[in-house]
């Protein structure tokens, strides 16, 4: 599906159009994977205000 | 002592080899018609887009079967299901080589896709259940490197045999090799120790699918896979167009050499698997996506080197 949209972008616009789509999608994937990092590494300690 | 498969044991080597060859055979069978699409078009008097349905039907069958597998995964015996899928899909590939009707080939490819879907989904489950948790990433990486070798080797062998003999002889020969691997896989892979197919505890087919689709973490992983593999395929499908056009004017051979970059994946998948064991899946995934992102942006530079 992404390949088909990419083909349309390339034929109607140019390589910049295709790369804009790819970088946007990879940016979304990057944000999603970053949220998985938070999920798999929950903070072990909570800030309590204690100085120690 | 833990009965999980540990690194540097005879069982580890044997199981790794089985999984690696299993992935070579499953990906080889999956892509077995891709190099011969122009020949299918010629033999059956088809347009290129209709001939390429031979690939699309297999992918479609695989996508449909993946949904079913999500609902019944707990009921499936890992080893038995993967063994049947590998051997039966190889037999179907031999049937394709003998088929004189293109619509029959499409039907066979659809069934092949249904069968082959069981391999990647259950291999990952098998690895998670049977291997020591601290080496799961490494083992998944080795499995993924097998898929790149299978894809490349299958296409290369078929292309060479087709050049020497015919596409039917070439396809039959590689399919017999996949069948032999399937039989060997059946006898060499150890049975699951930590998973028993369960009907009693099964939560039901539709509920299984529903629960999978409602799991936010799984949905995120599905979306990452959808977006990253889609972007990867789009990039490789279309990068030839600007490279053969001015100002680069590269030859087809020079552009074809670009696909040897695939081999980087053979080594990087194992390396990244090891890194994910050490640093966590999410971090390594973020790093890999960051590298892809930078790589895509670099293609906008006018200089070729």
């Amino acid at each position: 599906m992404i390949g088909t949209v990419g083909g349309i972008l390339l034929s109607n616009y140019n390589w910049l159009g295709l790369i804009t789509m790819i970088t946007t999608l990879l940016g979304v994937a990057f944000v999603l994977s970053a949220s998985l990092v938070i999920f798999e590494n929950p903070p072990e300690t909570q800030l309590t205000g204690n100085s120690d | 002592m833990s009965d999980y498969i540990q690194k540097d044991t005879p069982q580890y080597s044997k199981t790794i080899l089985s999984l690696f060859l299993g992935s070579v055979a499953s990906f080889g069978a999956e892509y077995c018609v891709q190099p011969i699409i122009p020949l299918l078009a010629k033999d059956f008097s088809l347009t290129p887009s209709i001939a390429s349905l031979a690939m699309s039907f297999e992918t479609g069958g695989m996508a449909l079967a993946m949904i079913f597998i999500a609902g019944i995964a707990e009921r499936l015996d890992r080893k038995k299901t993967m063994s049947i899928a590998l051997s039966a899909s190889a037999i179907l590939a031999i049937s394709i080589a003998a088929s004189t009707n293109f619509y029959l080939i499409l039907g066979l490819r659809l069934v092949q896709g249904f069968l082959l879907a069981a391999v990647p989904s259950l291999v990952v489950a098998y690895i998670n259940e049977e291997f020591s948790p601290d080496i799961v990433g490494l083992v998944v990486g080795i499995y993924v490197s097998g898929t790149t070798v299978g894809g490349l080797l299958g296409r290369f062998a078929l292309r060479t045999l087709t050049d020497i003999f015919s596409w039917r002889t070439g396809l039959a020969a590689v399919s017999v090799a996949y069948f032999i691997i399937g039989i060997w896989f059946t006898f060499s892979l150890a049975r699951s120790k930590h998973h028993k197919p369960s009907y009693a505890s099964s939560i039901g087919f539709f509920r299984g699918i529903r629960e999978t689709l409602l799991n936010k973490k799984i949905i995120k992983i599905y979306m990452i896979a959808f977006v990253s593999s889609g972007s990867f395929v789009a990039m490789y499908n279309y990068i030839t167009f600007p490279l053969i056009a001015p100002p680069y004017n590269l030859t087809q051979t020079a552009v074809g050499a670009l696909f040897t970059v695939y081999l980087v994946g053979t080594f990087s998948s194992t390396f990244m698997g090891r890194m994910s064991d050490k640093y966590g899946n999410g971090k390594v995934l973020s790093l890999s996506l960051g590298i892809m992102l930078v790589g895509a942006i670099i293609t906008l530079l006018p200089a070729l080197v």
Side-chain angles (χ1 to χ4, degrees), chain B residues 170-231:
Chain B
L171 184 56
V174 292
S175 306
V176 167
Y178 297 148
F179 181 72
I180 293 167
I181 290 176
I183 298 297
W184 186 81
F185 183 91
T186 308
F187 289 103
S188 67
L189 191 75
R191 288 194 73 83
S192 297
K193 283 182 187 163
H194 302 99
H195 175 263
K196 295 277 172 283
S198 170
Y199 291 88
S201 65
S202 174
I203 53 174
F205 176 71
F206 290 107
R207 204 175 147 204
I209 293 175
R210 191 171 162 269
E211 292 204 350
T212 303
L213 295 177
L214 286 176
N215 184 321
K216 282 183 185 169
K217 194 180 176 191
I218 291 178
I219 290 297
K220 280 182 184 175
I221 293 168
Y222 283 170
M223 283 176 71
I224 292 168
F226 175 77
V227 163
S228 58
S229 61
S231 303

Short mmCIF file of all heavy atoms in Angstrom, two decimals, chain B residues 170-231:
data_model
loop_
_atom_site.label_atom_id
_atom_site.label_comp_id
_atom_site.label_asym_id
_atom_site.label_seq_id
_atom_site.Cartn_x
_atom_site.Cartn_y
_atom_site.Cartn_z
N GLY B 170 14.10 -24.97 -13.14
CA GLY B 170 14.71 -24.21 -12.05
C GLY B 170 13.83 -24.20 -10.82
O GLY B 170 14.30 -24.48 -9.70
N LEU B 171 12.53 -23.92 -11.02
CA LEU B 171 11.60 -23.85 -9.89
C LEU B 171 11.46 -25.22 -9.22
O LEU B 171 11.45 -25.32 -7.98
CB LEU B 171 10.24 -23.31 -10.35
CG LEU B 171 9.18 -23.10 -9.28
CD1 LEU B 171 9.68 -22.17 -8.18
CD2 LEU B 171 7.90 -22.52 -9.90
N ALA B 172 11.37 -26.28 -10.05
CA ALA B 172 11.24 -27.64 -9.49
C ALA B 172 12.48 -27.98 -8.66
O ALA B 172 12.36 -28.52 -7.55
CB ALA B 172 11.05 -28.64 -10.62
N ALA B 173 13.67 -27.62 -9.17
CA ALA B 173 14.92 -27.95 -8.47
C ALA B 173 15.02 -27.25 -7.11
O ALA B 173 15.30 -27.90 -6.10
CB ALA B 173 16.11 -27.59 -9.35
N VAL B 174 14.75 -25.93 -7.09
CA VAL B 174 14.87 -25.22 -5.79
C VAL B 174 13.77 -25.70 -4.84
O VAL B 174 13.98 -25.80 -3.63
CB VAL B 174 14.85 -23.67 -5.94
CG1 VAL B 174 16.08 -23.15 -6.63
CG2 VAL B 174 13.58 -23.16 -6.58
N SER B 175 12.59 -26.06 -5.39
CA SER B 175 11.49 -26.51 -4.53
C SER B 175 11.81 -27.86 -3.89
O SER B 175 11.44 -28.10 -2.73
CB SER B 175 10.19 -26.61 -5.33
OG SER B 175 9.95 -25.39 -5.98
N VAL B 176 12.47 -28.74 -4.65
CA VAL B 176 12.88 -30.04 -4.08
C VAL B 176 13.86 -29.79 -2.93
O VAL B 176 13.77 -30.42 -1.87
CB VAL B 176 13.50 -30.95 -5.18
CG1 VAL B 176 14.20 -32.15 -4.56
CG2 VAL B 176 12.42 -31.42 -6.15
N ALA B 177 14.76 -28.80 -3.12
CA ALA B 177 15.71 -28.46 -2.04
C ALA B 177 14.95 -27.96 -0.80
O ALA B 177 15.27 -28.35 0.33
CB ALA B 177 16.69 -27.39 -2.53
N TYR B 178 13.91 -27.13 -1.03
CA TYR B 178 13.11 -26.63 0.11
C TYR B 178 12.37 -27.79 0.80
O TYR B 178 12.22 -27.79 2.01
CB TYR B 178 12.10 -25.57 -0.36
CG TYR B 178 12.73 -24.33 -0.95
CD1 TYR B 178 12.09 -23.61 -1.96
CD2 TYR B 178 13.96 -23.86 -0.49
CE1 TYR B 178 12.68 -22.46 -2.50
CE2 TYR B 178 14.55 -22.72 -1.03
CZ TYR B 178 13.90 -22.03 -2.03
OH TYR B 178 14.47 -20.91 -2.56
N PHE B 179 11.90 -28.76 0.00
CA PHE B 179 11.19 -29.91 0.57
C PHE B 179 12.13 -30.73 1.46
O PHE B 179 11.77 -31.13 2.56
CB PHE B 179 10.61 -30.78 -0.56
CG PHE B 179 9.85 -31.97 -0.05
CD1 PHE B 179 8.60 -31.81 0.55
CD2 PHE B 179 10.39 -33.25 -0.15
CE1 PHE B 179 7.91 -32.92 1.04
CE2 PHE B 179 9.70 -34.34 0.33
CZ PHE B 179 8.46 -34.18 0.93
N ILE B 180 13.36 -30.93 0.96
CA ILE B 180 14.35 -31.69 1.75
C ILE B 180 14.63 -30.95 3.07
O ILE B 180 14.69 -31.58 4.14
CB ILE B 180 15.65 -31.91 0.94
CG1 ILE B 180 15.36 -32.85 -0.24
CG2 ILE B 180 16.77 -32.47 1.80
CD1 ILE B 180 16.46 -32.92 -1.29
N ILE B 181 14.75 -29.62 3.00
CA ILE B 181 14.96 -28.83 4.23
C ILE B 181 13.76 -29.00 5.17
O ILE B 181 13.92 -29.17 6.38
CB ILE B 181 15.18 -27.33 3.90
CG1 ILE B 181 16.53 -27.13 3.21
CG2 ILE B 181 15.11 -26.48 5.17
CD1 ILE B 181 16.80 -25.70 2.75
N GLY B 182 12.55 -29.01 4.58
CA GLY B 182 11.33 -29.17 5.39
C GLY B 182 11.33 -30.49 6.15
O GLY B 182 10.99 -30.56 7.33
N ILE B 183 11.73 -31.56 5.47
CA ILE B 183 11.79 -32.89 6.09
C ILE B 183 12.87 -32.91 7.17
O ILE B 183 12.65 -33.40 8.29
CB ILE B 183 12.07 -33.99 5.02
CG1 ILE B 183 10.93 -34.04 3.98
CG2 ILE B 183 12.28 -35.37 5.67
CD1 ILE B 183 9.57 -34.42 4.55
N TRP B 184 14.02 -32.33 6.85
CA TRP B 184 15.13 -32.28 7.80
C TRP B 184 14.72 -31.48 9.05
O TRP B 184 15.01 -31.87 10.18
CB TRP B 184 16.35 -31.65 7.12
CG TRP B 184 17.57 -31.69 7.99
CD1 TRP B 184 18.40 -32.75 8.18
CD2 TRP B 184 18.07 -30.63 8.79
NE1 TRP B 184 19.40 -32.41 9.06
CE2 TRP B 184 19.22 -31.11 9.45
CE3 TRP B 184 17.67 -29.32 9.03
CZ2 TRP B 184 19.97 -30.33 10.32
CZ3 TRP B 184 18.41 -28.53 9.90
CH2 TRP B 184 19.54 -29.05 10.53
N PHE B 185 14.02 -30.37 8.82
CA PHE B 185 13.52 -29.51 9.90
C PHE B 185 12.61 -30.32 10.83
O PHE B 185 12.71 -30.23 12.06
CB PHE B 185 12.74 -28.35 9.24
CG PHE B 185 12.20 -27.32 10.19
CD1 PHE B 185 12.94 -26.19 10.50
CD2 PHE B 185 10.92 -27.44 10.73
CE1 PHE B 185 12.43 -25.22 11.35
CE2 PHE B 185 10.41 -26.48 11.57
CZ PHE B 185 11.17 -25.37 11.88
N THR B 186 11.74 -31.15 10.22
CA THR B 186 10.80 -31.98 10.99
C THR B 186 11.53 -32.89 11.97
O THR B 186 11.11 -33.07 13.11
CB THR B 186 9.94 -32.83 10.03
OG1 THR B 186 9.38 -31.96 9.06
CG2 THR B 186 8.85 -33.59 10.75
N PHE B 187 12.63 -33.46 11.51
CA PHE B 187 13.34 -34.42 12.36
C PHE B 187 14.37 -33.77 13.28
O PHE B 187 14.73 -34.34 14.30
CB PHE B 187 14.02 -35.49 11.48
CG PHE B 187 13.03 -36.43 10.86
CD1 PHE B 187 12.68 -36.30 9.53
CD2 PHE B 187 12.40 -37.40 11.63
CE1 PHE B 187 11.74 -37.14 8.96
CE2 PHE B 187 11.46 -38.24 11.07
CZ PHE B 187 11.12 -38.12 9.73
N SER B 188 14.86 -32.58 12.93
CA SER B 188 15.95 -32.01 13.73
C SER B 188 15.50 -31.01 14.80
O SER B 188 16.15 -30.88 15.82
CB SER B 188 16.97 -31.33 12.81
OG SER B 188 16.40 -30.21 12.21
N LEU B 189 14.38 -30.32 14.57
CA LEU B 189 13.96 -29.32 15.56
C LEU B 189 13.37 -30.00 16.80
O LEU B 189 12.53 -30.89 16.68
CB LEU B 189 12.92 -28.36 14.95
CG LEU B 189 12.61 -27.13 15.81
CD1 LEU B 189 13.73 -26.11 15.74
CD2 LEU B 189 11.31 -26.47 15.37
N ALA B 190 13.83 -29.55 17.96
CA ALA B 190 13.32 -30.13 19.21
C ALA B 190 11.87 -29.72 19.44
O ALA B 190 11.46 -28.63 19.05
CB ALA B 190 14.19 -29.64 20.36
N ARG B 191 11.10 -30.61 20.05
CA ARG B 191 9.70 -30.30 20.37
C ARG B 191 9.65 -29.20 21.43
O ARG B 191 10.57 -29.06 22.22
CB ARG B 191 8.99 -31.54 20.92
CG ARG B 191 8.73 -32.60 19.88
CD ARG B 191 7.73 -33.62 20.41
NE ARG B 191 6.39 -33.04 20.44
CZ ARG B 191 5.59 -33.01 19.37
NH1 ARG B 191 5.97 -33.51 18.23
NH2 ARG B 191 4.39 -32.48 19.47
N SER B 192 8.56 -28.44 21.44
CA SER B 192 8.40 -27.38 22.44
C SER B 192 8.34 -28.00 23.84
O SER B 192 7.61 -28.97 24.05
CB SER B 192 7.10 -26.61 22.20
OG SER B 192 7.15 -25.97 20.97
N LYS B 193 9.10 -27.41 24.76
CA LYS B 193 9.05 -27.89 26.15
C LYS B 193 8.16 -26.99 26.99
O LYS B 193 7.66 -27.39 28.03
CB LYS B 193 10.47 -27.90 26.75
CG LYS B 193 11.32 -29.04 26.29
CD LYS B 193 12.68 -28.98 26.98
CE LYS B 193 13.62 -30.03 26.42
NZ LYS B 193 15.02 -29.73 26.78
N HIS B 194 8.04 -25.73 26.55
CA HIS B 194 7.33 -24.75 27.38
C HIS B 194 5.98 -24.34 26.81
O HIS B 194 5.37 -23.40 27.29
CB HIS B 194 8.22 -23.52 27.58
CG HIS B 194 9.53 -23.86 28.21
ND1 HIS B 194 10.68 -24.01 27.48
CD2 HIS B 194 9.85 -24.11 29.50
CE1 HIS B 194 11.66 -24.33 28.29
NE2 HIS B 194 11.20 -24.40 29.52
N HIS B 195 5.57 -25.01 25.75
CA HIS B 195 4.24 -24.69 25.21
C HIS B 195 3.49 -25.97 24.86
O HIS B 195 4.00 -26.81 24.13
CB HIS B 195 4.36 -23.84 23.94
CG HIS B 195 3.02 -23.59 23.29
ND1 HIS B 195 2.55 -24.35 22.24
CD2 HIS B 195 2.05 -22.70 23.58
CE1 HIS B 195 1.35 -23.91 21.90
NE2 HIS B 195 1.04 -22.92 22.70
N LYS B 196 2.33 -26.11 25.44
CA LYS B 196 1.47 -27.25 25.11
C LYS B 196 0.23 -26.67 24.44
O LYS B 196 -0.41 -25.77 25.00
CB LYS B 196 1.05 -28.00 26.39
CG LYS B 196 2.23 -28.66 27.11
CD LYS B 196 2.57 -30.02 26.50
CE LYS B 196 3.85 -30.59 27.08
NZ LYS B 196 5.09 -29.99 26.56
N PRO B 197 -0.10 -27.19 23.23
CA PRO B 197 -1.30 -26.68 22.56
C PRO B 197 -2.51 -26.83 23.48
O PRO B 197 -2.75 -27.91 24.02
CB PRO B 197 -1.44 -27.59 21.34
CG PRO B 197 -0.11 -28.18 21.13
CD PRO B 197 0.53 -28.27 22.48
N SER B 198 -3.20 -25.74 23.72
CA SER B 198 -4.28 -25.79 24.70
C SER B 198 -5.61 -25.38 24.07
O SER B 198 -5.75 -24.28 23.55
CB SER B 198 -3.94 -24.85 25.86
OG SER B 198 -5.06 -24.70 26.67
N TYR B 199 -6.57 -26.30 24.13
CA TYR B 199 -7.92 -26.00 23.65
C TYR B 199 -8.78 -25.54 24.83
O TYR B 199 -9.60 -24.67 24.71
CB TYR B 199 -8.56 -27.24 23.01
CG TYR B 199 -7.90 -27.62 21.73
CD1 TYR B 199 -6.80 -28.47 21.71
CD2 TYR B 199 -8.36 -27.11 20.51
CE1 TYR B 199 -6.17 -28.81 20.53
CE2 TYR B 199 -7.74 -27.44 19.32
CZ TYR B 199 -6.64 -28.29 19.34
OH TYR B 199 -6.02 -28.62 18.16
N ALA B 200 -8.50 -26.19 25.99
CA ALA B 200 -9.32 -25.91 27.18
C ALA B 200 -9.18 -24.46 27.62
O ALA B 200 -10.16 -23.78 27.91
CB ALA B 200 -8.91 -26.84 28.31
N SER B 201 -7.93 -23.97 27.62
CA SER B 201 -7.71 -22.61 28.11
C SER B 201 -7.87 -21.56 27.02
O SER B 201 -7.71 -20.38 27.24
CB SER B 201 -6.31 -22.50 28.71
OG SER B 201 -5.36 -22.70 27.69
N SER B 202 -8.15 -22.07 25.80
CA SER B 202 -8.25 -21.13 24.69
C SER B 202 -9.39 -20.14 24.93
O SER B 202 -10.47 -20.51 25.38
CB SER B 202 -8.50 -21.90 23.40
OG SER B 202 -8.74 -20.99 22.38
N ILE B 203 -9.13 -18.88 24.61
CA ILE B 203 -10.14 -17.86 24.87
C ILE B 203 -11.08 -17.67 23.68
O ILE B 203 -11.93 -16.82 23.69
CB ILE B 203 -9.46 -16.52 25.23
CG1 ILE B 203 -8.45 -16.15 24.14
CG2 ILE B 203 -8.83 -16.57 26.60
CD1 ILE B 203 -7.85 -14.78 24.32
N GLY B 204 -10.94 -18.55 22.67
CA GLY B 204 -11.84 -18.45 21.52
C GLY B 204 -11.23 -17.65 20.41
O GLY B 204 -10.45 -16.74 20.64
N PHE B 205 -11.61 -18.05 19.19
CA PHE B 205 -10.99 -17.49 18.00
C PHE B 205 -11.17 -15.98 17.89
O PHE B 205 -10.20 -15.23 17.83
CB PHE B 205 -11.58 -18.20 16.78
CG PHE B 205 -11.08 -17.66 15.48
CD1 PHE B 205 -9.78 -17.89 15.08
CD2 PHE B 205 -11.90 -16.90 14.67
CE1 PHE B 205 -9.31 -17.38 13.89
CE2 PHE B 205 -11.44 -16.40 13.47
CZ PHE B 205 -10.14 -16.64 13.09
N PHE B 206 -12.43 -15.52 17.90
CA PHE B 206 -12.68 -14.08 17.69
C PHE B 206 -12.21 -13.26 18.88
O PHE B 206 -11.72 -12.15 18.72
CB PHE B 206 -14.16 -13.83 17.40
CG PHE B 206 -14.56 -14.36 16.05
CD1 PHE B 206 -15.34 -15.50 15.94
CD2 PHE B 206 -14.13 -13.74 14.89
CE1 PHE B 206 -15.68 -16.00 14.70
CE2 PHE B 206 -14.46 -14.24 13.64
CZ PHE B 206 -15.24 -15.38 13.55
N ARG B 207 -12.34 -13.82 20.08
CA ARG B 207 -11.87 -13.09 21.26
C ARG B 207 -10.35 -12.97 21.24
O ARG B 207 -9.79 -11.95 21.64
CB ARG B 207 -12.34 -13.81 22.53
CG ARG B 207 -12.42 -12.86 23.70
CD ARG B 207 -12.98 -13.50 24.92
NE ARG B 207 -12.36 -12.92 26.10
CZ ARG B 207 -12.29 -13.52 27.26
NH1 ARG B 207 -12.81 -14.72 27.41
NH2 ARG B 207 -11.74 -12.94 28.29
N GLY B 208 -9.70 -14.03 20.72
CA GLY B 208 -8.24 -14.01 20.60
C GLY B 208 -7.79 -12.88 19.69
O GLY B 208 -6.87 -12.12 20.01
N ILE B 209 -8.47 -12.75 18.54
CA ILE B 209 -8.14 -11.68 17.59
C ILE B 209 -8.43 -10.33 18.23
O ILE B 209 -7.63 -9.40 18.16
CB ILE B 209 -8.94 -11.84 16.28
CG1 ILE B 209 -8.48 -13.11 15.55
CG2 ILE B 209 -8.78 -10.62 15.38
CD1 ILE B 209 -9.27 -13.43 14.31
N ARG B 210 -9.60 -10.24 18.90
CA ARG B 210 -10.01 -8.97 19.50
C ARG B 210 -9.01 -8.52 20.56
O ARG B 210 -8.59 -7.36 20.59
CB ARG B 210 -11.41 -9.16 20.12
CG ARG B 210 -12.06 -7.86 20.56
CD ARG B 210 -13.51 -8.07 20.94
NE ARG B 210 -13.96 -6.94 21.74
CZ ARG B 210 -13.90 -6.89 23.06
NH1 ARG B 210 -13.44 -7.92 23.73
NH2 ARG B 210 -14.31 -5.83 23.72
N GLU B 211 -8.61 -9.47 21.40
CA GLU B 211 -7.66 -9.12 22.47
C GLU B 211 -6.31 -8.69 21.90
O GLU B 211 -5.66 -7.81 22.43
CB GLU B 211 -7.50 -10.28 23.45
CG GLU B 211 -8.77 -10.50 24.23
CD GLU B 211 -8.55 -11.20 25.55
OE1 GLU B 211 -7.43 -11.67 25.79
OE2 GLU B 211 -9.52 -11.25 26.33
N THR B 212 -5.91 -9.35 20.78
CA THR B 212 -4.65 -8.97 20.14
C THR B 212 -4.75 -7.55 19.61
O THR B 212 -3.84 -6.73 19.79
CB THR B 212 -4.34 -9.94 18.97
OG1 THR B 212 -4.32 -11.26 19.48
CG2 THR B 212 -3.00 -9.62 18.32
N LEU B 213 -5.88 -7.25 18.95
CA LEU B 213 -6.04 -5.93 18.33
C LEU B 213 -6.29 -4.82 19.35
O LEU B 213 -6.17 -3.65 19.03
CB LEU B 213 -7.16 -5.96 17.29
CG LEU B 213 -6.90 -6.87 16.08
CD1 LEU B 213 -8.09 -6.89 15.14
CD2 LEU B 213 -5.65 -6.44 15.32
N LEU B 214 -6.66 -5.19 20.57
CA LEU B 214 -6.89 -4.18 21.60
C LEU B 214 -5.64 -3.93 22.45
O LEU B 214 -5.63 -3.04 23.29
CB LEU B 214 -8.06 -4.59 22.51
CG LEU B 214 -9.45 -4.45 21.88
CD1 LEU B 214 -10.52 -4.98 22.83
CD2 LEU B 214 -9.76 -3.01 21.49
N ASN B 215 -4.61 -4.76 22.23
CA ASN B 215 -3.37 -4.59 23.00
C ASN B 215 -2.57 -3.44 22.38
O ASN B 215 -2.07 -3.52 21.26
CB ASN B 215 -2.57 -5.90 22.93
CG ASN B 215 -1.32 -5.86 23.79
OD1 ASN B 215 -0.64 -4.83 23.86
ND2 ASN B 215 -1.03 -6.96 24.44
N LYS B 216 -2.48 -2.32 23.12
CA LYS B 216 -1.87 -1.10 22.57
C LYS B 216 -0.42 -1.32 22.16
O LYS B 216 0.04 -0.79 21.17
CB LYS B 216 -1.96 0.03 23.60
CG LYS B 216 -3.34 0.66 23.66
CD LYS B 216 -3.35 1.81 24.64
CE LYS B 216 -4.77 2.35 24.78
NZ LYS B 216 -4.89 3.28 25.88
N LYS B 217 0.31 -2.12 22.96
CA LYS B 217 1.72 -2.34 22.66
C LYS B 217 1.85 -3.11 21.34
O LYS B 217 2.70 -2.78 20.49
CB LYS B 217 2.38 -3.12 23.81
CG LYS B 217 3.89 -3.08 23.71
CD LYS B 217 4.53 -3.85 24.84
CE LYS B 217 6.04 -3.90 24.68
NZ LYS B 217 6.68 -4.82 25.59
N ILE B 218 1.00 -4.13 21.15
CA ILE B 218 1.05 -4.92 19.92
C ILE B 218 0.69 -4.05 18.72
O ILE B 218 1.32 -4.12 17.66
CB ILE B 218 0.13 -6.17 20.02
CG1 ILE B 218 0.72 -7.15 21.04
CG2 ILE B 218 -0.04 -6.85 18.66
CD1 ILE B 218 -0.10 -8.39 21.28
N ILE B 219 -0.33 -3.19 18.89
CA ILE B 219 -0.75 -2.30 17.79
C ILE B 219 0.41 -1.37 17.39
O ILE B 219 0.67 -1.15 16.22
CB ILE B 219 -2.00 -1.48 18.19
CG1 ILE B 219 -3.21 -2.41 18.28
CG2 ILE B 219 -2.28 -0.34 17.22
CD1 ILE B 219 -3.61 -3.08 16.97
N LYS B 220 1.13 -0.87 18.40
CA LYS B 220 2.28 0.00 18.10
C LYS B 220 3.33 -0.77 17.30
O LYS B 220 3.88 -0.26 16.33
CB LYS B 220 2.91 0.51 19.40
CG LYS B 220 2.17 1.69 20.00
CD LYS B 220 2.90 2.16 21.24
CE LYS B 220 2.12 3.28 21.91
NZ LYS B 220 2.73 3.69 23.18
N ILE B 221 3.59 -2.02 17.72
CA ILE B 221 4.59 -2.84 17.02
C ILE B 221 4.13 -3.12 15.59
O ILE B 221 4.91 -3.05 14.64
CB ILE B 221 4.87 -4.14 17.81
CG1 ILE B 221 5.57 -3.80 19.13
CG2 ILE B 221 5.72 -5.11 17.00
CD1 ILE B 221 5.66 -4.92 20.12
N TYR B 222 2.81 -3.42 15.41
CA TYR B 222 2.26 -3.65 14.06
C TYR B 222 2.46 -2.40 13.20
O TYR B 222 2.86 -2.49 12.04
CB TYR B 222 0.75 -3.94 14.12
CG TYR B 222 0.37 -5.34 14.56
CD1 TYR B 222 -0.95 -5.65 14.85
CD2 TYR B 222 1.32 -6.35 14.67
CE1 TYR B 222 -1.31 -6.93 15.25
CE2 TYR B 222 0.96 -7.62 15.07
CZ TYR B 222 -0.36 -7.91 15.36
OH TYR B 222 -0.72 -9.16 15.75
N MET B 223 2.19 -1.23 13.79
CA MET B 223 2.29 0.01 13.02
C MET B 223 3.74 0.30 12.62
O MET B 223 4.02 0.73 11.50
CB MET B 223 1.71 1.19 13.82
CG MET B 223 0.19 1.19 13.80
SD MET B 223 -0.50 2.50 14.80
CE MET B 223 -0.09 3.94 13.83
N ILE B 224 4.67 0.02 13.55
CA ILE B 224 6.09 0.23 13.24
C ILE B 224 6.50 -0.69 12.09
O ILE B 224 7.17 -0.27 11.13
CB ILE B 224 6.98 -0.02 14.49
CG1 ILE B 224 6.73 1.05 15.55
CG2 ILE B 224 8.46 -0.06 14.11
CD1 ILE B 224 7.34 0.74 16.91
N ALA B 225 6.05 -1.97 12.16
CA ALA B 225 6.40 -2.93 11.10
C ALA B 225 5.78 -2.50 9.77
O ALA B 225 6.45 -2.52 8.73
CB ALA B 225 5.89 -4.32 11.49
N PHE B 226 4.51 -2.07 9.79
CA PHE B 226 3.80 -1.66 8.58
C PHE B 226 4.52 -0.47 7.92
O PHE B 226 4.81 -0.49 6.71
CB PHE B 226 2.36 -1.28 8.96
CG PHE B 226 1.54 -0.71 7.83
CD1 PHE B 226 1.02 -1.54 6.85
CD2 PHE B 226 1.29 0.64 7.75
CE1 PHE B 226 0.26 -1.01 5.82
CE2 PHE B 226 0.54 1.18 6.73
CZ PHE B 226 0.03 0.34 5.75
N VAL B 227 4.83 0.52 8.72
CA VAL B 227 5.42 1.76 8.21
C VAL B 227 6.88 1.54 7.76
O VAL B 227 7.27 1.97 6.68
CB VAL B 227 5.33 2.85 9.30
CG1 VAL B 227 6.25 3.99 9.01
CG2 VAL B 227 3.90 3.35 9.42
N SER B 228 7.67 0.82 8.59
CA SER B 228 9.10 0.69 8.25
C SER B 228 9.30 -0.25 7.07
O SER B 228 10.09 0.05 6.17
CB SER B 228 9.92 0.24 9.46
OG SER B 228 9.43 -0.98 9.95
N SER B 229 8.58 -1.39 7.02
CA SER B 229 8.78 -2.29 5.88
C SER B 229 8.19 -1.68 4.61
O SER B 229 8.75 -1.85 3.52
CB SER B 229 8.23 -3.70 6.15
OG SER B 229 6.86 -3.62 6.38
N GLY B 230 7.07 -0.95 4.74
CA GLY B 230 6.48 -0.26 3.58
C GLY B 230 7.43 0.78 3.01
O GLY B 230 7.62 0.87 1.80
N SER B 231 8.07 1.55 3.90
CA SER B 231 9.02 2.58 3.46
C SER B 231 10.24 1.94 2.80
O SER B 231 10.74 2.41 1.77
CB SER B 231 9.50 3.41 4.65
OG SER B 231 8.40 3.98 5.30
#
